[in-house]
Amino acid sequence: MTPHALEAALRAVGAERYHNLHPFHRLLHDGGLTRGQVAAWALNRSHYQAMIPVKDATLLARLPTPELRRIWRQRIVDHDGEAEGDGGFARWRKLTASFGFADADVEAGEGVLPATKFAVQAYVRFVAERSLLEAIASSLTEMFSPAIIAERVSGMLANYPFVTPETLAYFDKRPAQASRDVDFALDYVCAHAVTAAQQQAAIAALRFKCDVLWAQLDALHFAYVEPGLPPPGAWRPEAL
Amino acid sequence: MTPHALEAALRAVGAERYHNLHPFHRLLHDGGLTRGQVAAWALNRSHYQAMIPVKDATLLARLPTPELRRIWRQRIVDHDGEAEGDGGFARWRKLTASFGFADADVEAGEGVLPATKFAVQAYVRFVAERSLLEAIASSLTEMFSPAIIAERVSGMLANYPFVTPETLAYFDKRPAQASRDVDFALDYVCAHAVTAAQQQAAIAALRFKCDVLWAQLDALHFAYVEPGLPPPGAWRPEAL
């Protein structure tokens, strides 16, 4: 494949498997969820958010040059911020705090579904263990995130009185950050995936990452929507 | 806690969280599943079965003495056998073969739910990274397995014409093996978990392992029973 055809193949993975196609996402942005169900989403997604800088630090540790590390380092700055209360995860916690979750409980992953933790851990291990090409390719779900964020934010603001622009502050900065991240990662993948085997590995890495996101919505849907069976030890909406 | 009280606390974890309490298990042994749903269970459970000797080899590599390693080694022999076609995983594949799954596909994890893979990987990582006490304690779900096996085998034979004593051959040897494994592991845990922190860690390890088993049935139930939404790339019962 040419770099252009590879990019098209990567985008096709998103068109088929990105989690904007999951029924839980549709319920979330169409207003089909209760406050408890949205809280469950926010709580579980917190664990993913909390681990993103861990994932990026894991990848950072494998990058061979100062140039590459400086570029990737910015992702960690985006999430962890420059000071207490700054950064993406702090902004994310405005949403969980609005449901009454204590920051310390959110940071500890209290009540998070085991399946969420397993999926997120699989992502960190993937980035630790696979080739650098695959590790970087797995980040490319960010190609598809500006669209889902736009849909999610406008849908949630329109449909849930308990959601405000302030509690969704996390999402304000993400599209620009994601777009900058994608510019680098997509160039890297298209430049380094030259053999057919490398190109297939890059596509498989992006599929894997779509699985990680999809599995998190599966677990939420199962536990909190249908059939609605939170596993032992998981947070329960009655606690709201 | 005395060793006796610790054993009681460990058994209480099973009474509250072992996967015999999961609705999918009840459907499975009560005859409430279609052939396709039982096939999905067999296929996904295969991935867990395939990884058990990997988990045990990971633990084996951390044991400090020949005495301990000789004892733990037997678990790997049980699963991998002495020769081609022998051992627990070969016996397990009689069941998947009866649904038409090719051994090579089963070994490759073809069509297995991502959530199954994530849960199983979390178990292997737990055994690799936690204290030896926690790693050994996490195996203690075998305390509860003879009961679930008896219920599963009799229920499946009574309720599914496509299940036979031969396809369930895997389970014949497991209760005796599990009982021998538990004798060692329970003695080890009760002897080595002496401080309150160690005892709590051992209990938490067993809870974690119950989460690993439970999450696998959650994923099966979600994908194949209710609401019945297999994720992109997963095996579909229509393929039977």
PDB file of all heavy atoms in Angstrom, chain B residues 136-147:
ATOM      1  N   ILE B 136      -0.344 -16.790  44.660  1.00  0.00           N
ATOM      2  CA  ILE B 136      -0.833 -18.122  45.043  1.00  0.00           C
ATOM      3  C   ILE B 136      -2.274 -18.038  45.542  1.00  0.00           C
ATOM      4  O   ILE B 136      -3.119 -18.873  45.194  1.00  0.00           O
ATOM      5  CB  ILE B 136       0.118 -18.759  46.075  1.00  0.00           C
ATOM      6  CG1 ILE B 136       1.462 -19.067  45.388  1.00  0.00           C
ATOM      7  CG2 ILE B 136      -0.496 -20.017  46.695  1.00  0.00           C
ATOM      8  CD1 ILE B 136       2.539 -19.626  46.296  1.00  0.00           C
ATOM      9  N   ALA B 137      -2.583 -17.002  46.320  1.00  0.00           N
ATOM     10  CA  ALA B 137      -3.961 -16.851  46.824  1.00  0.00           C
ATOM     11  C   ALA B 137      -4.958 -16.718  45.680  1.00  0.00           C
ATOM     12  O   ALA B 137      -6.099 -17.178  45.781  1.00  0.00           O
ATOM     13  CB  ALA B 137      -4.050 -15.647  47.762  1.00  0.00           C
ATOM     14  N   SER B 138      -4.531 -16.094  44.565  1.00  0.00           N
ATOM     15  CA  SER B 138      -5.472 -15.896  43.458  1.00  0.00           C
ATOM     16  C   SER B 138      -5.891 -17.221  42.818  1.00  0.00           C
ATOM     17  O   SER B 138      -6.898 -17.283  42.125  1.00  0.00           O
ATOM     18  CB  SER B 138      -4.875 -14.957  42.400  1.00  0.00           C
ATOM     19  OG  SER B 138      -3.827 -15.585  41.682  1.00  0.00           O
ATOM     20  N   SER B 139      -5.111 -18.285  43.069  1.00  0.00           N
ATOM     21  CA  SER B 139      -5.484 -19.602  42.515  1.00  0.00           C
ATOM     22  C   SER B 139      -6.595 -20.270  43.317  1.00  0.00           C
ATOM     23  O   SER B 139      -7.114 -21.316  42.909  1.00  0.00           O
ATOM     24  CB  SER B 139      -4.262 -20.525  42.487  1.00  0.00           C
ATOM     25  OG  SER B 139      -3.969 -21.014  43.798  1.00  0.00           O
ATOM     26  N   LEU B 140      -6.953 -19.686  44.455  1.00  0.00           N
ATOM     27  CA  LEU B 140      -7.830 -20.412  45.390  1.00  0.00           C
ATOM     28  C   LEU B 140      -9.292 -20.467  44.971  1.00  0.00           C
ATOM     29  O   LEU B 140     -10.107 -21.075  45.684  1.00  0.00           O
ATOM     30  CB  LEU B 140      -7.698 -19.832  46.801  1.00  0.00           C
ATOM     31  CG  LEU B 140      -6.398 -20.231  47.521  1.00  0.00           C
ATOM     32  CD1 LEU B 140      -6.282 -19.510  48.860  1.00  0.00           C
ATOM     33  CD2 LEU B 140      -6.359 -21.747  47.740  1.00  0.00           C
ATOM     34  N   THR B 141      -9.646 -19.891  43.829  1.00  0.00           N
ATOM     35  CA  THR B 141     -10.996 -20.162  43.325  1.00  0.00           C
ATOM     36  C   THR B 141     -11.199 -21.658  43.103  1.00  0.00           C
ATOM     37  O   THR B 141     -12.332 -22.118  43.035  1.00  0.00           O
ATOM     38  CB  THR B 141     -11.278 -19.401  42.013  1.00  0.00           C
ATOM     39  OG1 THR B 141     -10.156 -19.561  41.146  1.00  0.00           O
ATOM     40  CG2 THR B 141     -11.524 -17.920  42.276  1.00  0.00           C
ATOM     41  N   GLU B 142     -10.092 -22.404  43.010  1.00  0.00           N
ATOM     42  CA  GLU B 142     -10.238 -23.866  42.899  1.00  0.00           C
ATOM     43  C   GLU B 142     -10.907 -24.477  44.129  1.00  0.00           C
ATOM     44  O   GLU B 142     -11.386 -25.610  44.067  1.00  0.00           O
ATOM     45  CB  GLU B 142      -8.863 -24.505  42.688  1.00  0.00           C
ATOM     46  CG  GLU B 142      -8.363 -24.363  41.260  1.00  0.00           C
ATOM     47  CD  GLU B 142      -7.143 -25.237  41.026  1.00  0.00           C
ATOM     48  OE1 GLU B 142      -6.086 -24.957  41.626  1.00  0.00           O
ATOM     49  OE2 GLU B 142      -7.254 -26.208  40.252  1.00  0.00           O
ATOM     50  N   MET B 143     -10.915 -23.763  45.253  1.00  0.00           N
ATOM     51  CA  MET B 143     -11.670 -24.252  46.415  1.00  0.00           C
ATOM     52  C   MET B 143     -13.132 -24.458  46.063  1.00  0.00           C
ATOM     53  O   MET B 143     -13.809 -25.303  46.626  1.00  0.00           O
ATOM     54  CB  MET B 143     -11.605 -23.230  47.571  1.00  0.00           C
ATOM     55  CG  MET B 143     -10.274 -23.125  48.255  1.00  0.00           C
ATOM     56  SD  MET B 143     -10.433 -22.278  49.869  1.00  0.00           S
ATOM     57  CE  MET B 143     -10.749 -20.586  49.336  1.00  0.00           C
ATOM     58  N   PHE B 144     -13.617 -23.609  45.151  1.00  0.00           N
ATOM     59  CA  PHE B 144     -15.046 -23.607  44.856  1.00  0.00           C
ATOM     60  C   PHE B 144     -15.387 -24.382  43.588  1.00  0.00           C
ATOM     61  O   PHE B 144     -16.555 -24.535  43.249  1.00  0.00           O
ATOM     62  CB  PHE B 144     -15.557 -22.162  44.717  1.00  0.00           C
ATOM     63  CG  PHE B 144     -14.928 -21.199  45.688  1.00  0.00           C
ATOM     64  CD1 PHE B 144     -14.272 -20.059  45.253  1.00  0.00           C
ATOM     65  CD2 PHE B 144     -14.978 -21.462  47.057  1.00  0.00           C
ATOM     66  CE1 PHE B 144     -13.679 -19.179  46.151  1.00  0.00           C
ATOM     67  CE2 PHE B 144     -14.393 -20.589  47.971  1.00  0.00           C
ATOM     68  CZ  PHE B 144     -13.731 -19.440  47.515  1.00  0.00           C
ATOM     69  N   SER B 145     -14.358 -24.842  42.849  1.00  0.00           N
ATOM     70  CA  SER B 145     -14.644 -25.394  41.523  1.00  0.00           C
ATOM     71  C   SER B 145     -15.262 -26.796  41.528  1.00  0.00           C
ATOM     72  O   SER B 145     -16.059 -27.091  40.645  1.00  0.00           O
ATOM     73  CB  SER B 145     -13.390 -25.352  40.640  1.00  0.00           C
ATOM     74  OG  SER B 145     -12.451 -26.327  41.019  1.00  0.00           O
ATOM     75  N   PRO B 146     -14.946 -27.688  42.480  1.00  0.00           N
ATOM     76  CA  PRO B 146     -15.611 -29.000  42.393  1.00  0.00           C
ATOM     77  C   PRO B 146     -17.136 -28.892  42.392  1.00  0.00           C
ATOM     78  O   PRO B 146     -17.820 -29.579  41.635  1.00  0.00           O
ATOM     79  CB  PRO B 146     -15.076 -29.750  43.616  1.00  0.00           C
ATOM     80  CG  PRO B 146     -13.700 -29.169  43.820  1.00  0.00           C
ATOM     81  CD  PRO B 146     -13.882 -27.692  43.519  1.00  0.00           C
ATOM     82  N   ALA B 147     -17.675 -27.976  43.190  1.00  0.00           N
ATOM     83  CA  ALA B 147     -19.144 -27.836  43.238  1.00  0.00           C
ATOM     84  C   ALA B 147     -19.690 -27.337  41.901  1.00  0.00           C
ATOM     85  O   ALA B 147     -20.685 -27.863  41.385  1.00  0.00           O
ATOM     86  CB  ALA B 147     -19.541 -26.885  44.363  1.00  0.00           C
TER      87      ALA B 147
END
